[in-house]
Amino acid sequence: MKRTLLFAATISIFLFSCSKEVAPMSKEELGKKTDSAVKASVQRSDEAARIDLERRLKIEVKVKVDSLVNAHLQKAEAPAPTTPAKI
């Protein structure tokens, strides 16, 4: 008897809890929820971009400096162009 009563009570709780409708959000509540979701997404994106920038700077700055130094050394080693002598 107790099991049947417990089973019936459990089933009725599930049925009544499923039939409740969710109250619609007001425009203000919807705006606040959207703003907080967007803000969190932008913060994650900014943090990912900052981490990527720090990682790439270590690599790309070194390559650019080496390129500039090599270009400067090649320019200094190149013989000066000669102009034809006037007769």
Side-chain angles (χ1 to χ4, degrees), residues 17-80:
S17 66
C18 292
S19 66
K20 291 184 180 177
E21 291 186 24
V22 177
M25 285 194 221
S26 67
K27 287 185 179 183
E28 294 82 23
E29 290 172 334
L30 186 61
K32 287 178 184 178
K33 191 168 187 173
T34 304
D35 289 344
S36 66
V38 169
K39 185 177 179 181
S41 176
V42 168
Q43 286 176 343
R44 284 191 306 270
S45 176
D46 287 347
E47 181 65 19
R50 186 189 58 77
I51 290 169
D52 185 50
L53 175 65
E54 289 175 359
R55 182 185 59 80
R56 291 178 60 201
L57 276 177
K58 293 176 185 174
I59 299 166
E60 293 177 9
V61 169
K62 184 179 184 306
V63 172
K64 187 67 172 177
V65 168
D66 289 344
S67 174
L68 291 172
V69 168
N70 288 337
H72 181 69
L73 291 176
Q74 286 177 358
K75 188 176 181 182
E77 292 175 359

Side-chain angles (χ1 to χ4, degrees), residues 82-87:
T82 57
T83 57
K86 290 185 181 180
I87 304 180

